[in-house]
């Protein structure tokens, strides 16, 4: 086997092993540190004593966001596939690799912006007292240490 081909195969094998190990460690960390905090949906619908009108409006907001989130998560998966192909080619600073990284960052940023807009859309339906509880839960989730 030619040294160049052997080195390429070895590099690919090492990348796959490193990626798999990293994914396993990340999943293990997330599972072991999950606190069982209720979802935002559960907190809003169970703890805020919503009126039927508020529930109806929030359900519409959540349905719209779920559709947008699904679309954006698809975009992230697409960007991840591009990144995988670029990594497989093995060129550290290739235009394809940089484009894939940029695509992934843009998709992740779009999901984050949509999520924040969703939070504010939900808050707009709440009374001032409900919004205080909602905001406290959001702030707690974003600032909780050790997660």
């Amino acid at each position: 086997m030619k040294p160049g081909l052997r080195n390429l195969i070895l590099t690919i094998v090492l990348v796959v092993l490193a990626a798999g190990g990293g994914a396993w460690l990340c999943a293990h960390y997330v599972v072991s540190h999950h606190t069982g905090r209720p979802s935002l949906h559960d907190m809003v619908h169970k703890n805020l004593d919503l009126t039927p009108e508020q529930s109806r409006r929030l359900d519409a907001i959540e349905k719209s966001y779920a559709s947008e989130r699904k679309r954006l998560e698809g975009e992230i998966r697409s960007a991840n596939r591009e990144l995988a192909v670029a990594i497989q080619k093995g060129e550290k600073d290739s235009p394809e690799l940089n484009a894939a990284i940029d695509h992934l960052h843009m998709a992740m940023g779009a999901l984050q912006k949509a999520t924040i807009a969703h939070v504010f859309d939900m808050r707009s339906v709440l009374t001032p007292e409900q919004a205080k509880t909602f905001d406290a839960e959001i702030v707690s989730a974003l600032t909780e240490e050790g997660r």
Side-chain angles (χ1 to χ4, degrees), residues 49-74:
D49 194 29
L50 299 173
T51 67
E53 175 63 15
Q54 286 176 311
S55 288
R56 185 193 61 72
R57 290 176 61 196
L58 287 169
D59 286 344
I61 289 169
E62 289 169 345
K63 184 177 179 181
S64 174
Y65 172 69
S67 173
E68 179 68 359
R69 186 183 76 214
K70 184 175 180 178
R71 184 188 70 76
L72 291 169
E73 287 172 344

Side-chain angles (χ1 to χ4, degrees), residues 4-32:
L5 180 58
R6 185 183 68 227
N7 289 342
L8 177 61
I9 292 171
L10 180 61
T11 300
I12 291 171
V13 167
L14 290 174
V15 166
V16 168
L17 289 173
W24 181 85
L25 286 171
C26 182
H28 179 71
Y29 175 83
V30 168
V31 168
S32 68

Side-chain angles (χ1 to χ4, degrees), residues 2-145:
K2 293 182 180 180
L5 180 58
R6 185 183 68 227
N7 289 342
L8 177 61
I9 292 171
L10 180 61
T11 300
I12 291 171
V13 167
L14 290 174
V15 166
V16 168
L17 289 173
W24 181 85
L25 286 171
C26 182
H28 179 71
Y29 175 83
V30 168
V31 168
S32 68
H33 286 82
H34 181 66
T35 62
R37 174 188 290 274
S39 71
L40 183 60
H41 172 87
D42 289 342
M43 187 281 297
V44 167
H45 287 275
K46 292 179 181 174
N47 299 348
L48 293 184
D49 194 29
L50 299 173
T51 67
E53 175 63 15
Q54 286 176 311
S55 288
R56 185 193 61 72
R57 290 176 61 196
L58 287 169
D59 286 344
I61 289 169
E62 289 169 345
K63 184 177 179 181
S64 174
Y65 172 69
S67 173
E68 179 68 359
R69 186 183 76 214
K70 184 175 180 178
R71 184 188 70 76
L72 291 169
E73 287 172 344
E75 189 68 24
I76 289 171
R77 284 189 299 278
S78 174
N80 276 331
R81 285 189 296 274
E82 291 172 16
L83 185 58
V85 168
I87 287 171
Q88 206 169 27
K89 289 182 180 180
E91 297 177 29
K92 182 179 178 184
D93 289 322
S94 71
E96 293 88 0
L97 181 64
N98 289 324
I101 291 168
D102 290 344
H103 183 195
L104 180 58
H105 286 172
M106 288 177 59
M108 291 168 64
L111 177 58
Q112 188 171 27
K113 287 178 182 180
T115 301
I116 298 302
H118 171 65
V119 165
F120 279 95
D121 289 345
M122 289 177 69
R123 185 213 252 168
S124 72
V125 173
L126 304 176
T127 66
E129 194 59 38
Q130 290 169 326
K132 285 180 189 177
T133 302
F134 179 80
D135 290 350
E137 186 67 25
I138 297 293
V139 168
S140 174
L142 291 172
T143 59
E144 187 174 61
E145 306 244 351

